[in-house]
Amino acid sequence: YQSAASAMGDRSAASVTGDHGAASATGYQSAASAMGDRSAASVTGNRSAATAEGQENVALAWGIDSKAKAALGSYIALAEWEADENGYNLVCARMHKVDGKIIKADTFYKLKGGKFVEVKE
């Protein structure tokens, strides 16, 4: 209950269980998961994954080519980046409730062209 976990470094992982928890991971190909109600999982590294299980949670994936999934009734938030000669630029950020119609429960999504796209694993 009300716990927190963080991990830094490539291929790192952070997870919390229990209500009102927060898990955060930074680094290339990292993962964060939050299990319990009203919790959050966030990743900022490239090619990372955020997972939120439980009610009223948020899974936030901010890194380049990252993905997020959450349970029905929770939210996913994603960023889309575009490469140019100077590096990467943020072109879009969106958040959507997992409603089972537009966004399916327990299914990874990325942003492409400003739209949520299901990730085929």
Side-chain angles (χ1 to χ4, degrees):
Y1 180 77
Q2 294 181 339
S3 57
S6 64
M8 294 183 290
D10 294 348
R11 295 173 188 83
S12 60
S15 64
V16 293
T17 58
D19 296 346
H20 305 277
S24 175
T26 60
Y28 180 78
Q29 292 183 330
S30 294
S33 63
M35 295 166 274
D37 297 339
R38 292 167 300 283
S39 297
S42 65
V43 292
T44 57
N46 300 342
R47 293 176 181 79
S48 295
T51 302
E53 299 176 17
Q55 298 299 306
E56 299 177 354
N57 291 342
V58 175
L60 167 69
W62 201 257
I64 297 164
D65 198 33
S66 290
K67 60 187 178 180
K69 72 176 179 177
L72 191 65
S74 290
Y75 289 82
I76 60 171
L78 296 163
E80 181 178 5
W81 299 84
E82 182 176 84
D84 66 15
E85 65 277 355
N86 298 318
Y88 284 89
N89 298 301
L90 179 65
V91 294
C92 182
R94 295 192 62 197
M95 181 177 198
H96 202 287
K97 186 172 188 173
V98 179
D99 58 5
K101 296 174 186 166
I102 296 171
I103 304 295
K104 299 177 195 172
D106 305 314
T107 302
F108 276 113
Y109 286 88
K110 292 182 178 185
L111 277 185
K112 289 196 180 186
K115 296 181 181 176
F116 290 98
V117 176
E118 190 174 325
V119 175
K120 304 293 182 190
E121 293 185 58

